[in-house]
Amino acid sequence: DAGVTQSPTHLIKTRGQQVTLRCSPISGHKSVSWYQQVLGQGPQFIFQYYEKEERGRGNFPDRFSARQFPNYSSELNVNALLLGDSALYLCASSPDRAGANVLTFGAGSRLTVL
Amino acid sequence: EDQVTQSPEALRLQEGESSSLNCSYTVSGLRGLFWYRQDPGKGPEFLFTLYSAGEEKEKERLKATLTKKESFLHITAPKPEDSATYLCAVLGYSGYALNFGKGTSLLVTP
């Protein structure tokens, strides 16, 4: 049974560029969340999507945006990249948004901004 | 604002040397406290969810406990394969996202 899949696994960008990260949730899971994990820190919440609508947003600038598609997959976009955006970007899925659902994480996309 | 503090930041144990990791938290109504394990270059892997003070859960050499202010992850007779970063996170009633601590990096040597 496939888990949460993310692509690309690694990428290198330069300052000012734009990046799109992709996530496919576990089959049957309708909620997708995005987290940013800077080296040496715990994951920090960016977005939650459920049924194609944004249900929550963390303390990130408007350069960060996301969307969820009818098949529940999701994309995270980051514009005007800064050096500080270098991090592991984690996608997690859960069956729904209610209750204390367990999040299942993907392996992440490692973004390096030069 | 929800806060999670984990200690120690790093822990080195010899194989078989039991110890505990601490997770102190403040949250406006606890819906759940989560423990995850993260190996280098990988995403966090779910271990346990605790919902109320006094609750305990076990899995192999790991046992998680919960009080109203903190949670402990007890590691009994650890093996080198237990080496990883252990993350604690809380979900409060006022929020919808997990609030993670910085993690404890555990190294178990043979």
Side-chain angles (χ1 to χ4, degrees):
Chain A
D1 198 15
V4 178
T5 57
Q6 293 187 243
S7 63
T9 55
H10 296 84
L11 67 166
I12 299 174
K13 294 285 187 178
T14 57
R15 281 177 295 175
Q17 284 189 313
Q18 175 263 342
V19 67
T20 298
L21 308 177
R22 296 175 177 82
C23 171
S24 294
I26 290 173
S27 177
H29 284 195
K30 297 180 179 180
S31 180
V32 169
S33 299
W34 287 94
Y35 286 76
Q36 179 196 65
Q37 187 175 25
V38 174
L39 198 62
Q41 303 291 315
Q44 188 173 1
F45 173 71
I46 311 175
F47 287 110
Q48 182 190 76
Y49 274 78
Y50 177 72
E51 291 284 12
K52 295 168 287 181
E53 290 191 14
E54 181 183 307
R55 299 294 183 171
R57 182 186 185 116
N59 189 23
F60 280 81
D62 291 342
R63 299 185 295 108
F64 288 76
S65 64
R67 55 179 176 168
Q68 187 177 33
F69 299 99
N71 66 353
Y72 303 110
S73 67
S74 177
E75 285 183 353
L76 175 69
N77 290 283
V78 186
N79 293 321
L81 286 167
L82 304 173
L83 295 179
D85 295 331
S86 295
L88 181 67
Y89 288 85
L90 295 163
C91 174
S93 74
S94 60
D96 56 51
R97 64 183 290 265
N101 285 300
V102 172
L103 294 183
T104 302
F105 285 87
S109 294
R110 170 72 63 187
L111 171 65
T112 302
V113 182
L114 301 177
Chain B
E1 185 178 318
D2 300 348
Q3 257 193 324
V4 178
T5 303
Q6 293 188 244
S7 62
E9 288 186 9
L11 181 62
R12 183 180 180 128
L13 299 173
Q14 283 212 313
E15 186 171 2
E17 180 186 2
S18 302
S19 188
S20 296
L21 313 182
N22 177 264
C23 171
S24 297
Y25 66 91
T26 55
V27 64
S28 53
L30 182 69
R31 288 167 64 188
L33 183 140
F34 300 77
W35 283 98
Y36 282 84
R37 168 194 170 126
Q38 186 173 26
D39 292 300
K42 296 189 177 181
E45 175 188 349
F46 172 73
L47 293 174
F48 304 108
T49 307
L50 302 168
Y51 297 101
S52 57
E55 189 174 0
E56 299 181 353
K57 288 192 176 174
E58 289 188 65
K59 179 181 179 180
E60 297 180 355
R61 296 177 293 283
L62 301 177
K63 178 181 177 181
T65 62
L66 181 65
T67 72
K68 288 186 177 180
K69 292 184 178 181
E70 57 191 351
S71 176
F72 292 93
L73 185 66
H74 307 278
I75 304 177
T76 302
K79 298 182 178 181
E81 53 261 42
D82 294 323
S83 298
T85 295
Y86 291 85
L87 295 165
C88 171
V90 296
L91 178 66
Y93 276 101
S94 62
Y96 38 76
L98 293 184
N99 191 341
F100 282 87
K102 292 182 179 181
T104 293
S105 177
L106 173 66
L107 176 64
V108 182
T109 58

